[in-house]
Amino acid sequence: MAVGPTTRRRQLGADLRRLRERKGLTLEEAGAAVGISKATLSRYETKEGAVKWPAVDALCREYEATDEERSALVELAKGAKIQGWWRSLADPIPESMNLMLTLEDEVVREDHYACMYVPGLLQTRAYAEAVHRASEVQCEEREVQHMVDIRMKRQELLDREEPPRIWCVIDEAAVRRQVGGRAVMHEQLKHLLTMARRPHITVQVLPFTRGAHAAAVGSFAVLRGQTPELDVVYVDILGGGLFIEKAQELERYRLAFQYLSAQALDFESTAELIDQITKES
């Protein structure tokens, strides 16, 4: 199973590139000054592979970084190999989920557009089980429970002392679709209303009456890091997910989410609609 770069590693690469460019050095010049090759320095900056903290320290000194900047980057280099809780799981997890967990472990905000199902972070266990059984019809029950366990564990980030900001725009179809039957859906909608009352969680419904919109192609999530260059978009595809990092495509999804949020019902109207659907279910 491929292991994606940790958030710390991605931050380190972005900061090293920023400091070098601020100093006005090329990759070749900077590498020669500290005794590493252009290829090695390029790898350091492209968020992939291992790094040696003494080399990071030397680069920071060459770039005339402040003591605070140098200390922060050295700590990032030392912590770049730290792995999250999911690495200790006995059963394997899909590669796309592995990378999602890596990125989400230190995300500061998540913007979700959901057209098929309620976003995973806001799902009840029974609802999540029904989704997995429907999506992976050939999976054994043990595997379904394993994936649901991971989803439930993911939700613990919502209970952190400083949780990330979660903003969800959910298509009306997703809150009306009876996943798992009436009882499961009723519980899910009540849970959605409860979660929407948390100060760091925003839920909006995009009603059918809005017609065509900016994300007719499907669900996606913008995972936002400490700085914009650390943002990643996750797009749902059959059998997994696609991660997008190119600046132009990132901006396209950011703008799409802004448009969707503007088109969706406000918070009070969303709560009223969900409550109405709950009473009908």
Side-chain angles (χ1 to χ4, degrees):
M1 178 180 62
V3 176
T6 65
T7 302
R8 296 177 184 88
R9 181 65 181 85
R10 296 173 71 242
Q11 179 74 64
L12 176 63
D15 285 348
L16 285 175
R17 183 178 65 253
R18 174 180 57 80
L19 290 174
R20 177 179 60 79
E21 291 175 347
R22 187 178 73 185
K23 181 66 174 176
L25 297 173
T26 65
L27 284 168
E28 191 169 12
E29 290 169 341
V34 299
I36 62 176
S37 68
K38 174 183 176 181
T40 297
L41 182 52
S42 177
R43 179 172 55 78
Y44 275 32
E45 292 186 8
T46 53
K47 314 165 191 173
E48 297 178 357
V51 294
K52 296 180 179 179
W53 74 260
V56 171
D57 183 78
L59 285 167
C60 287
R61 294 178 188 279
E62 180 62 29
Y63 298 156
E64 297 181 353
T66 65
D67 288 342
E68 184 179 358
E69 288 174 325
R70 179 169 57 83
S71 177
L73 265 65
V74 167
E75 287 305 309
L76 280 174
K78 290 179 177 179
K81 292 183 179 180
I82 294 175
Q83 297 181 334
W85 54 266
W86 57 95
R87 307 292 191 211
S88 62
L89 295 175
D91 294 330
I93 61 176
E95 182 177 337
S96 61
M97 178 57 67
N98 174 69
L99 183 51
M100 169 66 88
L101 294 170
T102 300
L103 297 170
E104 196 170 56
D105 196 43
E106 295 180 6
V107 74
V108 297
R109 172 172 166 167
E110 294 188 25
D111 294 338
H112 290 260
Y113 168 67
C115 64
M116 181 65 72
Y117 302 119
V118 171
L121 288 175
L122 304 182
Q123 291 179 4
T124 64
R125 184 175 188 94
Y127 184 94
E129 288 174 350
V131 168
H132 277 290
R133 291 192 187 107
S135 302
E136 306 291 343
V137 292
Q138 294 182 331
C139 278
E140 296 181 358
E141 183 62 19
R142 178 177 178 275
E143 186 175 349
V144 169
Q145 294 302 322
H146 172 58
M147 295 305 297
V148 173
D149 285 344
I150 294 173
R151 179 156 296 181
M152 295 300 102
K153 185 70 175 179
R154 273 181 64 205
Q155 294 180 4
E156 291 183 7
L157 68 86
L158 301 178
D159 296 318
R160 291 175 182 171
E161 186 175 340
E162 295 185 9
R165 183 84 168 88
I166 307 297
W167 196 305
C168 299
V169 175
I170 307 174
D171 194 276
E172 185 175 345
V175 293
R176 288 192 178 276
R177 181 173 289 107
Q178 283 205 0
V179 175
R182 293 175 65 88
V184 169
M185 197 62 201
H186 182 83
E187 178 191 33
Q188 175 60 69
L189 293 176
K190 297 292 284 186
H191 179 69
L192 190 59
L193 284 173
T194 298
M195 298 302 287
R197 296 188 188 102
R198 294 193 180 190
H200 62 283
I201 297 177
T202 297
V203 175
Q204 292 180 272
V205 168
L206 183 66
F208 292 141
T209 54
R210 295 295 191 263
H213 54 74
V217 293
S219 301
F220 67 88
V222 183
L223 309 176
R224 298 180 182 265
Q226 293 285 351
T227 56
E229 62 264 27
L230 296 179
D231 290 358
V232 176
V233 168
Y234 174 83
V235 181
D236 271 339
I237 59 174
L238 188 63
L242 175 67
F243 291 88
I244 298 172
E245 290 187 272
K246 291 183 178 179
Q248 185 175 2
E249 294 178 333
L250 279 171
E251 187 59 21
R252 180 181 178 186
Y253 278 95
R254 292 190 194 104
L255 290 173
F257 187 81
Q258 290 177 18
Y259 174 82
L260 290 164
S261 178
Q263 291 290 101
L265 298 175
D266 61 29
F267 316 136
E268 292 77 14
S269 298
T270 288
E272 290 174 3
L273 177 60
I274 294 175
D275 186 59
Q276 175 189 330
I277 296 172
T278 302
K279 292 175 181 176
E280 295 172 358
S281 65

